[in-house]
Coordinates of all heavy atoms in Angstrom, one line a residue:
R3 N -31.4 -39.1 16.7 CA -31.0 -38.1 17.6 C -32.2 -37.7 18.5 O -33.3 -37.7 18.0 CB -30.6 -36.8 16.8 CG -29.3 -37.0 16.2 CD -28.9 -35.6 15.6 NE -27.6 -35.6 15.0 CZ -27.1 -34.6 14.3 NH1 -27.9 -33.6 14.1 NH2 -25.9 -34.7 13.9
S4 N -31.8 -37.4 19.7 CA -32.9 -36.9 20.5 C -33.1 -35.5 20.3 O -32.4 -34.8 19.7 CB -32.5 -37.2 22.0 OG -31.4 -36.4 22.4
Q5 N -34.2 -34.9 20.9 CA -34.5 -33.5 20.8 C -33.4 -32.6 21.4 O -33.1 -31.6 20.9 CB -35.9 -33.3 21.5 CG -36.4 -31.8 21.4 CD -36.8 -31.5 19.9 OE1 -37.1 -32.4 19.1 NE2 -36.9 -30.2 19.6
A6 N -32.9 -33.1 22.5 CA -31.8 -32.3 23.2 C -30.6 -32.2 22.3 O -29.9 -31.2 22.3 CB -31.5 -32.9 24.5
D7 N -30.2 -33.3 21.7 CA -29.0 -33.3 20.8 C -29.1 -32.3 19.6 O -28.2 -31.6 19.3 CB -28.7 -34.7 20.3 CG -28.2 -35.6 21.4 OD1 -27.7 -35.1 22.4 OD2 -28.3 -36.9 21.2
S8 N -30.3 -32.3 19.0 CA -30.5 -31.4 17.9 C -30.5 -30.0 18.3 O -30.1 -29.1 17.6 CB -31.8 -31.8 17.1 OG -32.9 -31.5 18.0
N9 N -31.0 -29.7 19.5 CA -31.0 -28.3 20.0 C -29.6 -27.8 20.3 O -29.2 -26.7 20.1 CB -31.9 -28.2 21.3 CG -33.3 -28.2 20.9 OD1 -33.7 -28.0 19.8 ND2 -34.2 -28.6 21.9
T10 N -28.7 -28.7 20.9 CA -27.4 -28.3 21.2 C -26.5 -28.0 20.0 O -25.8 -27.1 19.9 CB -26.7 -29.3 22.1 OG1 -26.7 -30.5 21.4 CG2 -27.3 -29.4 23.5
T11 N -26.7 -28.8 18.9 CA -26.0 -28.6 17.7 C -26.4 -27.3 17.0 O -25.7 -26.6 16.4 CB -26.0 -29.8 16.8 OG1 -27.4 -30.1 16.5 CG2 -25.4 -31.0 17.4
A12 N -27.7 -27.1 17.0 CA -28.3 -25.9 16.4 C -27.8 -24.6 17.2 O -27.6 -23.6 16.6 CB -29.8 -26.0 16.3
A13 N -27.7 -24.8 18.5 CA -27.3 -23.6 19.3 C -25.8 -23.3 19.2 O -25.4 -22.2 19.2 CB -27.6 -23.9 20.8
S14 N -25.0 -24.4 18.9 CA -23.6 -24.2 18.9 C -23.1 -23.7 17.5 O -22.1 -23.2 17.3 CB -22.8 -25.4 19.2 OG -23.1 -26.5 18.3

Side-chain angles (χ1 to χ4, degrees):
R3 286 186 176 172
S4 66
Q5 183 70 18
D7 289 341
S8 64
N9 286 341
T10 57
T11 57
S14 65

